[in-house]
Amino acid sequence: MSKANLKKELVTFTSEQLVEVILNAYDSSKEAKAYFEFFLNPDVDALLEKKVDIIAKELGRSKHGYCKARISHIRAAIKDFAAFGVGPDYVARLMYYTLRMLVGHYGTTRYPDTLINGTLKLVRDYIIYANSHDMAASALANINELCASSLGTKYLRERISTVATMAVDELGA
């Protein structure tokens, strides 16, 4: 069912029926429960910390020195965070924290090509997202700071710098 069809249907409900639907959704889904709890008591910093912990836990998955983190789960955590309507500055902050964790963790475990490529795609997405919300200057400063740091390996930091330059060129064209 599309969002428009759902809206048409909900408009016909009485207030008691709407309350019943919301309570049923609250009881039936862990995600719906989390959303309603955030809606009633919006603590963006606590939600940000929770998502950072989820991403850190995913990055902690390893076996014999190889990282078993799934970039799809990391990206899903970012997408879920954005779905709460927290604002673009918080979403950009989570994207940057994720990049820092990915780069820092790369120095201690080996990444499969999928995770390296996912990290580089996240760099590009971060710059594009920041640019679309008038935060490109701070995003580029963050990327430059990350590339100048001693986190991870020089190899990954150089690749990140290259991807960032390409993303900026793409936006400028």
Side-chain angles (χ1 to χ4, degrees):
M1 175 182 280
S2 71
K3 208 173 183 180
N5 288 343
L6 178 62
K7 184 177 179 180
K8 284 180 188 177
E9 188 68 29
L10 291 175
V11 168
T12 65
F13 286 17
T14 65
S15 64
E16 293 84 20
Q17 289 173 317
L18 284 174
V19 167
E20 188 64 30
V21 167
I22 292 170
L23 290 175
N24 287 338
Y26 182 85
D27 289 337
S28 68
S29 168
K30 184 168 58 169
E31 291 83 12
K33 183 176 182 176
Y35 176 78
F36 287 125
E37 287 176 358
F38 178 78
F39 179 78
L40 296 173
N41 185 18
D43 186 355
V44 181
D45 293 321
L47 183 63
L48 176 67
E49 187 176 314
K50 181 179 177 184
K51 294 300 178 181
V52 166
D53 290 345
I54 289 169
I55 293 166
K57 183 177 179 182
E58 184 66 28
L59 280 172
R61 298 181 70 237
S62 65
K63 186 174 183 179
H64 304 298
Y66 288 92
C67 185
K68 298 291 185 180
R70 298 158 295 189
I71 194 69
S72 59
H73 286 235
I74 292 169
R75 293 179 81 75
I78 295 169
K79 184 179 177 184
D80 290 345
F81 182 69
F84 279 86
V86 296
D89 53 331
Y90 278 99
V91 175
R93 189 181 308 173
L94 179 60
M95 292 173 92
Y96 178 63
Y97 289 168
T98 302
L99 286 170
R100 286 189 61 86
M101 287 189 286
L102 282 162
V103 172
H105 196 66
Y106 186 71
T108 60
T109 59
R110 295 182 216 165
Y111 281 10
D113 289 340
T114 306
L115 193 55
I116 292 171
N117 293 337
T119 301
L120 298 175
K121 185 175 181 337
L122 185 60
V123 169
R124 182 182 177 281
D125 292 347
Y126 170 58
I127 291 170
I128 291 170
Y129 182 84
N131 184 61
S132 68
H133 292 92
D134 298 324
M135 297 182 291
S138 64
L140 290 174
N142 287 340
I143 293 294
N144 289 335
E145 175 189 323
L146 180 61
C147 291
S149 73
S150 61
L151 288 175
T153 65
K154 184 178 178 183
Y155 166 77
L156 184 59
R157 291 191 313 267
E158 287 174 351
R159 289 195 63 190
I160 287 172
S161 179
T162 301
V163 168
T165 301
M166 290 171 42
V168 169
D169 291 346
E170 183 181 311
L171 291 172

